[in-house]
Each structure stands twice: as structure tokens, then as C-alpha cells.
Amino acid sequence: MRRASSLVTLVVVAACGGEFAHTVAPTTQATMVMPQDTITASGSALPPPPRDDGRLPATVAPQRYSLELRVDPSQPRFSGVTVVQVVVPQATSYVVMHGRDLHITRALARVGGAEIAATATARIGHGGVVPEELVLTFAQPLPAGSAVLELAYDAPFAADLAGLYRVQEGGAWYAYTQFEATDARRAFPCFDEPGFKTAYDVTIAAPRGTVALTNSPETAHEDTADGLVVHHFETSRPLPSYLVAFAVGDFDVVQGQTSPFPIRAITTKGKGGLTALALEAAAALIARLGDYFDVRYPYPKLDIVAVPDFAAGAMENPGLVTFRDVLLLIDPKHAAIPARRAQAEVIAHEFAHQWFGDLVTAEWWDDIWLNEGFATWAEAKMVDAWRPSFGATIEQIADVQHVMDTDALRSARAVREPVHSSGEAMEAFDGLTYEKGAAVLRMIEAWLGPDTFRRGVQRYIQENAWKNARADDLFKALDFVSAQKVGELASGFLDKPGVPSVLLAWKCGGRAGSKVDLRESEWRPLGEGGEPARKWTLPVCVASDTQKAKSCFTLGAEPVTRTLGACPSWVFPNAEEAGYYRFVLDRPQLLALTRSAGALSAADRLGLVSNAWAAVRQGSIDPSTLLEVLPSFDGEMHRVLVESIADVLGSVNETLVDATDREAFQRYVVARMAGKKPAVGWEAPRGVKEDDDRALARRTVLRTLGEIAHDKRTLDEAEKYADRWLKDPASLSADTAAVAVPLASLRAGAPRLEALRAAAKNAKNPEDRVLAIRAMGMFDDPAVLGKALDLALTDELKLSELVYLFRPVMNRPDTAALLFAWEKEHWAELRKRVPASLGRGLLVGVAGAMCSRAGRDDAQAFFSTSTQGMEGVKRPLDEALEGASLCVALREHGAADVSRYLRTK
Ligand SMILES: [Zn+2]
């Protein structure tokens, strides 16, 4: 249940591509070893069938590509000629490669001086639903040795933001690509598996007056008779097909640094003025990453491209990194801090991939957790080093709490799981892959020490540069530098789901000294079944007020007792929240720790609040104990703590507060936040440069007062600011607008919706547009909200913008049911309209907001039949329904206790 997202400020879709797909035998440029069992012998009557593991039958291996593309974004189709040098390990009459929606007009092989003609047929691969494998059948067998395949084709620009697709903005057409995981095959015939890493020679014929880009710098161009210009590019460094990228359009090109390598920002016409912050962050972060890896940026140029319609957050194509435009284009005079932080994080993430993913590529999609986990870990590390005030690491620690909730579900998957099809590759890109992967790496870093960890990472990069590798290669490098068994310990977290829990109890002793007992179990929320607890080897670090240094050890199946020396007044069971585990203290020791909260670090205070809430959901403390703990944080102003407390208040409101107690709980919430309100105010004090923390805490405090507590004064004030913003967005700071504008919708009527539509339409920057759309999802009036939702069925909103509209509706207990009813009514249209590449989890996520038996059953009945045959839905639906069941279990267990507490206080 990821209900804590009710207070999320900026919806940032997971950085990086939506999906993934393959490897084969170890490949390097020159030597390719083919598995013998699948070789098609000369004279076979039938082509080799699709393989059960989702990989291509090993007929030939690509060594080098030449792509000649003809891309005119104003036309509905594009065309190309793909030439692939291949090694033929054994004579064969068949070659199986990838191609989807390609109309093949010529297929042949050149062997020596001879041409051998082929016919191309498409077929469905293992676990697939559309034809994605291209079978070439040759008129006579290709002899063993080398050959050149040549295929001419044309194809439609994709309509679902995957493959090679086009977007219209400001009346002009632009073409972009998004290939990860398995959509390069929609742009050119290829061997679309990450294990095939080869050089690419690319030419793009594009309309005169447009810019054409790919991974490598342009070397020359020439006009053609038919009004196109042919652009030639340098031969690429070795790339897997999913990292090849193109862009064509009448772009603004803004030059950033020119040495040691050039960085440029690429935008649609007229948006180049919004790239200064992105270019500044890009130069700073790429330099820091080069220092960290001790290997300079491995490609000759670096373009960052703002794409107006993009399914994922960003994509790490070497030298041509693409981003959802809202992340890249922000107005330096007017940008809110979360927008600047999100921008820095996503840039750092994609740039970390230039080494981790691009220079060294996962051999197969089952290791994609390492790619994404590492980039996620690195983004916080690098942004913290560059702009500590963004608090990127502590932000990530807060995110881990939500991931643990998902990881504890029965429907959770292991981070490292076999991948047998395109669909499974796509499913591998979920929150667990990113956040749990990052958390496990962070734990390993803390366990080994940051310097040792870094040496291991550097060794891994140096040993595997330009090649493919597996996670075990990283663990071997870490084992080597640390003399530990890193892979063994990591396997417990990667190969099974679940969240460890540490039960800690301490007592002050006499002569024997004070003792702390620790025992490992598994964190399971109320409502989960009684399977035996899983076991881990767990690196644990404990801090207390009587120890100078934290005490660290590994905890396994056997309980551990440690002496603490002098009698402590508090003990913290997960120092700096570095370990991937939750902890349980009994009520007196939890209250003792709470009384000493002022002495704890911010990460530990965050751990205290989130573990107390986790203990409620596990049933190990009563909700009323949590409500006793929270007032100790009334003076807390660290904005991540304020966010965490607000999160908990929101979750309690959604799950444990009955309608009859709503007003009493609203008063409780006002009491928690009212003291903070004067400290944050609505606006920065005049003439003072405000620190980031204060501006960020403001959002949370005001949103909590408005959205959860329905505080009349706060809502009145929000309306005044929202009116100002609607008249002139530039008249208000973006941080103030970000909270005022959505809150002002709560009590507003139809005219406000019209004003927001106009604001979205006329927005001068993507940030303002997203804000207007978020505010459209905040109406309490069912009729107005229904009208706002109807916009999702029109072209007024881009597909990638639906998330901004739906989230705020889904996250409020009163409107989630309305969204569900609306989805039911319009299901046929939604099903057609929302592509798998966009994450259909968005549509079924509303099931997770149901917190009654009837609501849950209704959602199950509806979605289980209506999603038949839809790709990419099953897991998000299972998770959402399980989340709903847990919510019901928690409510039945704890609502009466909350009610008692609120009535007696
Ligand atoms: Zn990524």
C-alpha cells in the first residue's frame, strides 16, 4: 500500500526507460561463442522455434551495424536500410532477428561476392502478444564464416511513445526514440538483446532546415535531390541496440561547456531559454561522476534532450540522453526547489548510467536491478556532493520506507528474477528495482566503508569497460577489495522479497554492564498470512548515547547479545538508517527513544517516526502509542521529518480514522502543524534569500493543514494566492504556487476548472502546466472533478500527463471511489487510449485506495475481468488489491483504539 504518496508534491516517474529485454552468450567485438544446441544446421526444413528463455535462436551474431534512415517527422511513416555484419557459426538457411511493425521490402545476404536472397516473415516470440521476431529464410544456406545482411523497410512512427515516434508541438513535428527495453526493433531490424554490443554507423536523411542527432557527433552532411539533407555521424562506441537513439526536428540547440567534451541542450523551437539550470547541473554532475569512477566520460559528446511527450522520466542513451521536458526545462528565475532537486537527481541518474549501463552493460534484463539500483544510489550521492541543501540522500532514505511496504507484500517479486519475454523485461522496471536496489547498495557501502566500496566499483568498471557484465562481477570486485563475501550477503536481499525486522531490547545492568539483545525476524503487516519467517544475513549497526562509535556486526538466525558499557538513556537499532531492515522496540523503550529524539541525527529521527508507524501496521504497538509519539516532534523543522510526519498523518487519516472521528482527528493534525506554520509562512520573507529547507517544509505544512485538516484559514489564504497565480503565474514564487493552487481547488467550482484549463494551455513553462493539471485533480465537488477527469479522454492532455491528474484524485479517501466509478464508466476508451509503455499501473492503482471489504471486492471483481489480455497490468493490480486488503485489516484492528484516543484527549 503506497498510500503515503497522498502528499507527494511532484510526481516524478521512475527515471529511465520503461522496460527491458535480453543477452546471449558472452559477447565482445571479435569473439562470439554460440551455444551449440540451438544452431540450425544447413538443410533444416524448418526455422528454429522461439526459445523459452525469450532470447533469439542463436543463428548468427551481429558484429557491426550500418543504419541508413530516412526520417521526416511530418510524414506518418519512415524508412531505412539496415546492414549488419554477422558471424555465421554454422551453415544455416535461417536467420532469426527482431523486427516489429516493419514492412520489409528487401532482404538478402552478401557472402563473398555473391548475393543470397531471403524472404522475411514475422512471428510471435515466447510469451509475446504481437509478432516481434523476424525470420529470414534464404534461398540457399549461408556458409559458416562471415556474412552481411541487408534489409530495406518502412514503418509507421509509433503512436505510443516507444520505438521511433513523433510528437507535434507548436505546429511543428519532431521525432524521438525510446528503445529500452525492447523497442529498437520497431525502428530497425536488429538483434535486440543487451548482450550484442557493437559499433553503429548511422546516416539520417532529414528535411532541410531540421537538426538530426544520434549518439555520435555529426561528421558531414550533403543535400539530396529530393529536398532532404543526409547527415553522417562518427562510428559509435560499442552499443547494445536499446541504447541507440535518434532525434530529428527544428530544434533549439544551446551550447554548454565545450571542453573536455561538449555538452549541449536540445529543445523544441523557442524553449532553449529554459536550459541554463540543466546545463549547469549537467557540467557539475558529469565531472563528479568521472572523479568517482576514476574514468573520464567515455563518449565524445553529450547532448541532453528535452522531449515534449515521453513515457518514462529520462533515458540514458550514450551521448544523447533524453528527458521528459518538465524535468529539464525550468525557469531559473521562477523554479520551485523540488523541481530543481528533481532535475539534478534525474540528470545525475542518467549520467551515472553512462558508466553503469552504457560503458558496462548488463548481459541480460535479470540484472537490470543493478543498473537501476546503482544509478539511483549514485544520484543521491552525487547530488548531495554538489548541492547538499537538496538533501538527496535523506530523501532516498525516506523513499525506502515506501519500497519496504511493497517488498513486504505477498505479491512482491525478488529484485533479481529470471526474465523470459519482453513483457517480463518491462515488469522488471518497478520501484523495487530502483529503490530496493539502491538501498541494498547503500547498505553494502556502509558495511564495507565508502572508500573500499568505491575501489570495488572502480575495479568493476575498469575490468568490464565496453563489455557486458553481471552483478556477480561487481560482487567479485567488492569481495576482492574488501576480503568479505559480498555476493553471498547480497543474495539474501536480491533473490527473495521481504523485509527483515530486528527486535531490540536493552537493560541497564550492574557490574555486568548494560546489555542489548537483538533478534532477527521478518516485518509482516497485519493481514498477511502466517508463512514461516524468511531469514537473512543482516549487517546491523546500533547507536546509543553512551557509545562514541556505533557498534556493527552481522545478525543471522541466532540472537545476539552485546554489552553497551554505561547505562544508556536511548538505543537506536539502525544507525543512520543504513541497513535494509525495520526494527521493533517495546512501548517503554520506544517512548524513551522519543524523549531523546533531539539527540538523534535527522536520518535516525526519520527512522524513529517511520518505524513507529511500521510497528502499528505490524500490530506490535497500538496506534494510540504512535499518536503519543508524534507530539514530541511538534518543534521538528527538518523538512524531510516534517514530510514523514505529514505522511504518517495522511496514512492514519486514510486508514484508521472513522468518519465520526474525522473532526477530532483534524484538530489533532492542526495541533501537530500549527506551531510550524508561522515558521514557514506562505512566502519567503522579503529581501531574504530563503534556505531550501524552509521553502520545502512550507509546502508540507500548508498542504497538511489544508488537505488533511481542512483548516479553513489555510484554505482561505490558498484561494487568495491561487487567484494571484491564475492572473499572472510569474507574480508568485513557484514554491508558494505549488501548494496554494491545488489546495484552492478543494472548495472551488466549475469556473476554477475553466481557469485551470486556460492556465495549462497558456503555461510559459512545463512546471506551470503540470501544476495546473495537478490542481484539476483536487476538486472535492464530484461534478467538477468528473469534468476534469473527462479531459483524460481528449487530446487536451498528453498521455504522459495523465499521472498528474489521476494521482491527487486517487490519493484522497473521498475521491478515490469517484475515480473508480469514472474509470468503470469509461473503461473501453481508457483501455484503448493508455498504452502499456505508459505504465497501466496508473489505471488499476485506484484499487489500492479502497479501504473497505466491499470496495476491495468490487475493485477485484471489476479489474480482474476488465484487464483480461492487457499487458503490464497483472502485478500492479495484485499489489493494489493486496494493499486494499491490508488497509481493511489495519482498520479493523486499530480504528477503535484511535477513536478511543481521540475522544479522551
Ligand atoms: Zn536508470
Side-chain angles (χ1 to χ4, degrees):
M1 171 165 74
R2 298 181 77 168
R3 304 177 141 267
S5 57
S6 60
L7 295 166
V8 157
T9 47
L10 182 74
V11 181
V12 178
V13 177
C16 289
E19 359 163 343
F20 260 70
H22 329 253
T23 294
V24 150
T27 78
T28 59
Q29 287 292 81
T31 57
M32 172 80 198
V33 184
M34 308 297 287
Q36 293 302 306
D37 56 345
T38 53
I39 296 296
T40 309
S42 146
S44 272
L46 291 169
R51 281 171 55 153
D52 292 347
D53 60 5
R55 304 185 192 213
L56 285 172
T59 48
V60 299
Q63 305 297 301
R64 186 181 182 118
Y65 285 80
S66 145
L67 308 178
E68 278 173 37
L69 289 152
R70 195 181 162 91
V71 180
D72 180 349
S74 71
Q75 301 300 313
R77 297 180 75 84
F78 63 95
S79 61
V81 178
T82 293
V83 176
V84 200
Q85 295 175 21
V86 298
V87 167
V88 187
Q90 270 196 19
T92 177
S93 296
Y94 303 99
V95 166
V96 186
M97 57 196 301
H98 287 112
R100 179 174 165 186
D101 295 339
L102 304 179
H103 172 234
I104 305 288
T105 51
R106 183 173 80 241
L108 56 86
R110 293 182 209 283
V111 182
E115 271 185 16
I116 304 175
T119 55
T121 49
R123 72 178 186 194
I124 294 177
H126 175 77
V129 290
V130 296
E132 297 188 66
E133 288 187 358
L134 208 54
V135 180
L136 306 183
T137 305
F138 289 89
Q140 61 193 82
L142 306 181
S146 49
V148 175
L149 307 177
E150 185 176 315
L151 293 105
Y153 63 98
D154 56 78
F157 283 105
D160 56 358
L161 312 182
L164 176 54
Y165 66 96
R166 60 184 191 142
V167 181
Q168 194 175 30
E169 196 183 69
W173 284 100
Y174 301 87
Y176 304 94
T177 54
Q178 170 57 36
F179 290 166
E180 192 181 31
T182 59
D183 288 310
R185 62 193 65 174
R186 296 167 75 172
F188 56 93
C190 56
F191 298 83
D192 200 5
E193 301 186 354
F196 293 121
K197 233 173 145 176
T198 75
Y200 284 78
D201 290 299
V202 176
T203 65
I204 301 175
R208 191 168 295 140
T210 60
V211 178
L213 301 163
T214 181
N215 308 83
S216 301
E218 182 168 336
T219 51
H221 57 264
E222 81 256 348
D223 288 350
T224 64
D226 55 1
L228 298 183
V229 176
V230 180
H231 303 262
H232 299 261
F233 301 91
E234 253 178 43
T235 301
S236 79
R237 305 292 196 268
L239 301 177
S241 47
Y242 82 87
L243 288 174
V244 174
F246 320 113
V248 172
D250 184 10
F251 296 122
D252 277 3
V253 177
V254 184
Q255 183 72 51
Q257 75 172 36
T258 52
S259 73
F261 51 88
I263 302 182
R264 301 182 303 179
I266 313 296
T267 74
T268 53
K269 201 73 196 162
K271 298 275 176 68
L274 296 172
T275 56
L277 288 176
L279 283 167
E280 183 192 355
L285 292 165
I286 200 82
R288 275 181 168 73
L289 282 157
D291 287 348
Y292 186 85
F293 291 113
D294 199 25
V295 172
R296 58 160 287 171
Y297 171 68
Y299 304 95
K301 60 114 179 168
L302 178 53
D303 290 332
I304 51 176
V305 187
V307 183
D309 208 1
F310 197 70
M315 178 66 209
E316 68 264 24
N317 317 299
L320 192 69
V321 187
T322 43
F323 297 81
R324 194 178 266 229
D325 63 357
V326 67
L327 289 166
L328 220 50
L329 303 182
I330 54 183
D331 182 348
K333 292 195 295 293
H334 190 63
I337 288 154
R340 286 192 275 133
R341 185 183 65 218
Q343 179 187 71
E345 285 171 353
V346 73
I347 289 174
H349 179 108
E350 302 313 323
F351 285 5
H353 277 312
Q354 304 298 306
W355 288 264
F356 234 90
D358 296 1
L359 180 60
V360 181
T361 305
E363 223 171 53
W364 186 247
W365 305 114
D366 55 356
D367 265 332
I368 211 56
W369 74 269
L370 177 60
N371 235 13
E372 296 307 347
F374 188 90
T376 304
W377 167 85
E379 80 189 41
K381 180 115 182 155
M382 296 301 136
V383 171
D384 255 0
W386 179 51
R387 289 283 154 86
S389 66
F390 286 164
T393 296
I394 192 162
E395 191 83 23
Q396 210 166 70
I397 293 173
D399 290 346
V400 171
Q401 294 299 327
H402 302 311
V403 167
M404 284 179 171
D405 293 345
T406 307
D407 200 15
L409 295 177
R410 265 196 318 275
S411 55
R413 61 175 193 88
V415 161
R416 182 160 64 182
E417 271 195 344
V419 169
H420 300 118
S421 66
S422 297
E424 287 180 0
M426 193 160 89
E427 284 193 355
F429 287 78
D430 65 1
L432 280 173
T433 290
Y434 287 77
E435 302 293 345
K436 185 178 178 182
V440 170
L441 290 170
R442 187 168 163 270
M443 174 168 69
I444 293 170
E445 185 196 22
W447 178 45
L448 302 180
D451 293 335
T452 306
F453 182 78
R454 180 179 180 172
R455 281 202 309 281
V457 168
Q458 290 177 348
R459 186 180 167 87
Y460 164 81
I461 294 285
Q462 278 152 15
E463 283 181 344
N464 298 288
W466 304 115
K467 296 190 285 198
N468 292 95
R470 305 207 59 102
D472 287 340
D473 296 315
L474 174 65
F475 296 141
K476 265 185 235 150
L478 291 169
D479 287 354
F480 180 85
V481 297
S482 69
Q484 296 277 10
K485 290 182 176 164
V486 179
E488 221 173 279
L489 179 134
S491 159
F493 297 87
L494 304 175
D495 297 324
K496 60 175 182 264
V499 180
S501 177
V502 171
L503 289 106
L504 182 146
W506 52 272
K507 56 175 179 287
C508 291
R511 271 180 309 171
S514 306
K515 286 210 162 53
V516 58
D517 296 319
L518 298 105
R519 196 150 49 82
E520 183 191 293
S521 72
E522 181 175 358
W523 187 82
R524 290 256 180 86
L526 288 162
E528 289 293 18
E531 301 87 5
R534 302 181 179 105
K535 293 287 174 202
W536 290 265
T537 303
L538 189 62
V540 169
C541 289
V542 172
S544 73
D545 60 336
T546 50
Q547 295 168 289
K548 277 211 181 70
K550 58 191 179 185
S551 151
C552 299
F553 45 91
T554 52
L555 184 61
E558 295 304 312
V560 165
T561 298
R562 294 261 152 169
T563 51
L564 281 174
C567 181
S569 48
W570 55 266
V571 178
F572 191 80
N574 187 3
E576 295 304 311
E577 281 290 311
Y580 189 77
Y581 59 90
R582 284 184 159 147
F583 62 78
V584 177
L585 297 167
D586 66 13
R587 183 184 145 91
Q589 298 198 336
L590 177 66
L591 293 176
L593 186 60
T594 304
R595 280 192 296 276
S596 306
L600 302 180
S601 71
D604 289 353
R605 299 202 301 283
L606 178 65
L608 169 53
V609 171
S610 48
N611 278 283
W613 170 230
V616 169
R617 288 178 295 144
Q618 193 182 27
S620 52
I621 62 168
D622 287 329
S624 52
T625 301
L626 172 75
L627 297 180
E628 273 179 68
V629 164
L630 291 180
S632 304
F633 292 88
D634 285 355
E636 174 72 60
M637 287 309 294
H638 189 296
R639 57 104 186 163
V640 176
L641 263 297
V642 176
E643 282 163 14
S644 170
I645 291 159
D647 241 22
V648 170
L649 291 170
S651 301
V652 170
N653 184 47
E654 288 162 28
T655 56
L656 284 165
V657 178
D658 288 333
T660 47
D661 297 318
R662 188 77 66 197
E663 280 183 28
F665 186 68
Q666 287 172 347
R667 284 194 297 276
Y668 177 88
V669 173
V670 169
R672 302 290 74 77
M673 292 289 158
K676 304 183 201 300
K677 190 176 172 186
V680 293
W682 273 96
E683 291 186 276
R686 274 187 201 289
V688 181
K689 166 120 178 55
E690 187 173 40
D691 75 75
D692 294 356
D693 253 17
R694 191 183 122 112
L696 289 165
R698 164 182 310 133
R699 283 186 168 216
T700 309
V701 170
L702 298 175
R703 184 179 306 106
T704 306
L705 282 168
E707 196 177 321
I708 302 177
H710 289 236
D711 179 49
K712 184 175 176 306
R713 206 168 132 199
T714 303
L715 292 176
D716 289 346
E717 290 159 349
E719 273 165 28
K720 271 190 273 166
Y721 285 106
D723 288 343
R724 229 168 90 188
W725 184 82
L726 284 164
K727 284 196 192 85
D728 176 14
S731 70
L732 198 60
S733 101
D735 286 295
T736 301
V739 58
V741 177
L743 283 183
S745 294
L746 284 171
R747 301 182 304 188
R752 172 57 52 90
L753 176 61
E754 294 314 306
L756 290 169
R757 288 174 68 189
K761 184 159 175 264
N762 302 323
K764 297 266 191 307
N765 58 63
E767 195 180 349
D768 284 345
R769 181 170 164 87
V770 168
L771 178 57
I773 297 170
R774 277 176 44 222
M776 293 179 200
M778 287 289 287
F779 290 96
D780 269 346
D781 182 323
V784 184
L785 188 64
K787 282 208 174 62
L789 288 171
D790 287 346
L791 298 175
L793 306 171
T794 69
D795 289 336
E796 190 167 328
L797 296 185
K798 295 185 262 187
L799 288 174
S800 55
E801 290 173 335
L802 299 188
V803 63
Y804 308 124
L805 175 66
F806 282 22
R807 283 273 179 239
V809 190
M810 205 178 289
N811 287 336
R812 284 175 296 140
D814 299 338
T815 51
L818 218 138
L819 174 64
F820 181 36
W822 179 87
E823 283 193 23
K824 278 197 222 169
E825 193 185 334
H826 299 285
W827 187 254
E829 273 168 282
L830 284 169
R831 195 184 149 124
K832 253 201 320 234
R833 191 167 163 75
V834 177
S837 57
L838 207 64
R840 284 166 169 160
L842 181 63
L843 295 181
V844 297
V846 70
M850 302 294 122
C851 198
S852 67
R853 283 173 187 249
R856 196 216 91 100
D857 293 348
D858 190 13
Q860 178 161 33
F862 175 73
F863 285 119
S864 56
T865 50
S866 65
T867 58
Q868 293 288 332
M870 279 174 85
E871 260 185 300
V873 173
K874 187 178 179 309
R875 188 178 300 280
L877 179 59
D878 288 349
E879 285 180 4
L881 289 171
E882 198 180 342
S885 297
L886 294 182
C887 189
V888 173
L890 179 59
R891 172 165 295 207
E892 289 174 356
H893 173 83
D897 180 55
V898 169
S899 183
R900 242 184 336 267
Y901 176 89
L902 291 173
R903 283 167 196 196
T904 53
K905 292 287 151 177

